[in-house]
Amino acid sequence: MRLHVVDHPLVAHKLTVLRDETTDSPTFRLLVDELVTLLAYEATRDIATEPHEVRTPVTTMTGTRLASPPPLVVPILRAGLGMLDGMSRLLPTAEVGFLGLVRDEETFKAVTYANRLPDDLTGRHVFLIDPMLATGGTLVAAIDYVLERGAREVTAVCLLAAPEGIKALEEHVGDRLNLSVVVAAVDERLNEKAYIVPGLGDAGDRLYGIV
């Protein structure tokens, strides 16, 4: 597993505003969108490409285009939806799947309530997007879903990660697939409620309100 913490002044600035408890939901949504676009730039650095010939106004040349089959972006509902536009802005040709996972607040384990993924992901680069990598349970479950469907190239894009979640991913995945994790920051730890500290609170609630 490769972990990439994006070290950039704009990323650090936007993340600091997201952490502020006084930041309202409209501003939070806007900043998440902007921040994910910056993360997506790094997350797609190793995406597969192929040569492609085009005619310019001057001559013919061989350029580059994304290889087939197209990548698949999978937001983990509901908070991952707030990251979808930022990813789609850089990957407009990608297809989109959806995976609904919710954390049991007593066991901290992920429970599936929705699944909209292709049956065969062989040869597809899958981008899993979820704001918080806390215990790792949600991403572990999502990775198992795409592994069962044949995916072997997976990139997880998160705003924040906790050391406990990173360790859980490393131990669970092993060498079964090529996994990259791209985050804006790795925080100190999890608290007794499995929230990231210092973190930014519940990303879903801050994006969409408490329901």
Side-chain angles (χ1 to χ4, degrees):
M1 187 184 97
R2 297 186 304 277
L3 174 66
H4 180 39
V5 181
V6 179
D7 181 16
H8 192 284
L10 288 178
V11 170
H13 166 74
K14 294 177 189 298
L15 182 57
T16 299
V17 182
L18 286 180
R19 292 185 190 274
D20 190 335
E21 66 179 2
T22 66
T23 299
D24 59 26
S25 287
T27 304
F28 194 93
R29 287 194 294 270
L30 176 62
L31 286 170
V32 166
D33 181 71
E34 294 175 349
L35 184 53
V36 171
T37 299
L38 295 172
L39 297 180
Y41 179 80
E42 296 296 335
T44 54
R45 187 173 293 277
D46 295 324
I47 198 168
T49 60
E50 61 187 14
H52 179 60
E53 186 174 280
V54 296
R55 171 169 285 280
T56 77
V58 179
T59 186
T60 300
M61 65 157 289
T62 300
T64 299
R65 68 179 178 186
L66 297 186
S68 295
L72 180 72
V73 177
V74 182
I76 298 176
L77 306 178
R78 69 177 167 144
L81 278 177
M83 303 172 67
L84 180 57
D85 285 349
M87 285 294 299
S88 298
R89 188 171 295 112
L90 285 192
L91 285 174
T93 59
E95 295 182 352
V96 178
F98 296 94
L99 192 56
L101 295 165
V102 63
R103 186 176 72 172
D104 186 305
E105 294 302 330
E106 292 185 1
T107 65
F108 305 137
K109 294 186 181 298
V111 179
T112 305
Y113 66 87
N115 170 18
R116 189 71 173 175
L117 296 176
D119 291 332
D120 186 5
L121 294 175
T122 304
R124 305 284 293 271
H125 192 146
V126 178
F127 292 87
L128 299 173
I129 53 176
D130 193 18
M132 314 296 279
L133 171 52
T135 65
T138 299
L139 272 179
V140 162
I143 287 168
D144 283 346
Y145 265 97
V146 299
L147 265 173
E148 291 170 1
R149 288 159 175 77
R152 292 298 179 268
E153 187 80 26
V154 177
T155 300
V157 181
C158 305
L159 303 181
L160 289 179
E164 295 91 335
I166 294 169
K167 182 180 179 181
L169 281 186
E170 289 175 332
E171 292 178 347
H172 183 78
V173 171
D175 58 359
R176 293 186 296 158
L177 83 164
N178 187 13
L179 174 65
S180 297
V181 179
V182 178
V183 299
V186 177
D187 276 7
E188 298 172 10
R189 59 183 173 83
L190 297 178
N191 65 14
E192 65 280 359
K193 294 183 179 180
Y195 278 85
I196 298 176
V197 179
L200 50 77
D202 186 298
D205 288 349
R206 297 198 65 189
L207 280 163
Y208 304 118
I210 299 172
V211 295

